[in-house]
Amino acid sequence: MVTVIDEIMKFEKPINDRISEVFPEKEPKGLYEASVHTITGGGKRLRPAILLIATEAVGGYWENALNAAVSIELMHTFTLVHDDIIDNDEVRRGRPAVHTIWGEAGAIIAGDTMYSKSVEIMADCPTEPEIALKATKILTKTCVEVCEGQWMDIDFETREDVSSEEYIEMIKKKTSVLFGASAQIGALMGGADEKTANALYNFGLLTGLGFQINDDVLDLVTPSEKLGKKQGSDIAKGKRTLLMIDALKKGVKPKAFGKGVLTQEEIDETIVELTKSGSIQYVKELAESYVNQGKAELDILPDSKAKTNLLKIADYMLTRDY
Amino acid sequence: MVTVIDEIMKFEKPINDRISEVFPEKEPKGLYEASVHTITGGGKRLRPAILLIATEAVGGYWENALNAAVSIELMHTFTLVHDDIIDNDEVRRGRPAVHTIWGEAGAIIAGDTMYSKSVEIMADCPTEPEIALKATKILTKTCVEVCEGQWMDIDFETREDVSSEEYIEMIKKKTSVLFGASAQIGALMGGADEKTANALYNFGLLTGLGFQINDDVLDLVTPSEKLGKKQGSDIAKGKRTLLMIDALKKGVKPKAFGKGVLTQEEIDETIVELTKSGSIQYVKELAESYVNQGKAELDILPDSKAKTNLLKIADYMLTRDY
């Protein structure tokens, strides 16, 4: 049986080939090594896959949207490189974070280079100039929102009164808008009209919101090897994710919360506590409801294999275990 | 008499007004305060002025190029904000550097936001989509080169064998290419053909190179109040600028070189030493020769007030004392 992962993976080689073309070996060598370090470290390529399948779903050829797909992945990866400096995270996609190898200065400059390349290849899409320009504007508007989300995330660290609504607004900006932009730009590259492209944006935004809300649960319940970073790191850092906002509202505060370094036993205890409190269930159901709202946006599309694949990816946002 | 400064300053208000429009007061408040902090702190607006006068010099209306001018200034300022984190510089344009107020995380995110806005308004220029797209690609290609230059600059800190040629290649990328892009984009916005736009690029690149080479002298000889940062900071940090590369080649090594903190007496002694060695003279003459090569590129243009102003700006690159 062809799984949704197979559908996503079929784009892996063309995406990786285009990445190599965008970053040829050149001087200064260190800068270009630092710039491709994270993006060649793997990752599910979920955003570019959504973009390319959206192109197909509106009747276009994914080959014409390859630059846009790589642009989106580069933009996503650049924000990770800068975030890892900010959050002092040392591992990303199973590799040492850029700043741990090339220093903060190196990671700042490599991130800026990646973002420049991201815009450059979006502006260079093989399509009418109006469409390439529109896609470029969506990309940069999205990056501004991602920055707003990242700023809110940092602000929230020093606040104890963050509401669920504020938290959802933050992750919408920090994460979901890029899923929205991926689907919307994919649709535009496939020749979709405004209305269809906007529906695709909403599909990406809402399923991306479900994805991120679910991610907070995965951070706690998925073993480190699968997760590619330390299990329970949000809880360890004392981060008020939706899971903890709900638990604290119910008067539940796991010992592990904000403890810094956790043993496997402490992680397991926390899982039991947050299961009992109903917080894990609450977050999972909320994620599911957003994903379902997102899927409904695809009613605008005629039936096709690509549409079915987008719906499968939406489900995968919830069923994935890492 | 109308000076070149008056010619540059006449664009100050329209540029500042457009900046306010690009950054309206909005949430998260801190992010937008941090993002406009440096750009509203002043600066000579030399790059946007060159861009707008280039538009006029090829027969266009500067009003149509205002977005492009603000885009260039924003891109320039974003690189300063990130550079100040990297170099740990605490003052910029007479104000505390962004990272000293909002922390490194804040300065990284504010810089990313500024760059996004820079691209966004370039893509949004009131011109044919082909031209806006071309200008956007020049902008991002230029930013990649600026990153390469910044990377080389950091690399050079740990090397004692940097040649004059390598140093010039570094400042060409770190600084001059943005002057080139300013003049080229200005010409494109004014409807210039490829050949004229390229000549304008070379004008900007070569005079910008003269500007930066001269800047190394100004860093040493200009009092802090005028300079907007500490006098002699390159020498204090032990930075191998062209001035020091030449002095060291001649066997002259001022005591102040790499000393960290300098007294006014030590700065004055260094000026005397590097004057005697002929290094200041050498650097000034080199700067002049690049500026003259740049001016010659303007032979392609018909005579006009705007052309005269570009030539005056080129001279100002050398005669300015801060």
Side-chain angles (χ1 to χ4, degrees), chain B residues 153 156 159-172 176 206 208-220 234-235 238-254 257 270 273-275 277-291 318:
Chain B
D153 198 12
F156 288 0
R159 283 180 47 195
E160 301 207 340
D161 60 345
V162 175
S163 67
S164 311
E165 292 71 24
E166 284 178 298
Y167 183 79
I168 289 170
E169 178 68 15
M170 182 273 284
I171 59 172
K172 188 188 280 180
S176 321
L206 292 162
L209 202 48
F211 172 90
Q212 189 56 38
I213 289 174
N214 193 39
D215 205 59
D216 289 347
V217 177
L218 296 183
D219 185 87
L220 177 62
D234 285 345
I235 295 282
K239 195 168 175 181
R240 287 164 194 268
T241 67
L242 214 48
L243 206 54
M244 279 308 304
I245 291 172
D246 183 70
L248 291 169
K249 205 159 63 185
K250 288 167 175 162
V252 176
K253 188 173 182 176
F257 185 61
T270 308
E273 259 189 288
L274 297 186
T275 303
S277 72
S279 301
I280 288 180
Q281 185 69 10
Y282 159 73
V283 171
K284 282 190 161 237
E285 280 175 9
L286 190 66
E288 200 181 331
S289 122
Y290 279 118
V291 166
L318 299 175

Side-chain angles (χ1 to χ4, degrees), chain A residues 14 29 55 99 120 157 202 229-230 249 281 297 299 319:
Chain A
K29 234 180 136 203
T55 303
H99 67 99
E120 199 176 315
E157 280 172 19
N202 290 333
K229 56 179 181 172
K230 267 199 193 125
K249 206 160 63 185
Q281 184 67 10
E297 294 281 339
D299 290 350
T319 55

Side-chain angles (χ1 to χ4, degrees), chain B residues 143-154:
Chain B
C143 189
V144 170
E145 290 174 327
V146 171
C147 288
E148 288 175 356
Q150 174 68 352
W151 190 279
M152 289 168 79
D153 198 12
I154 296 172

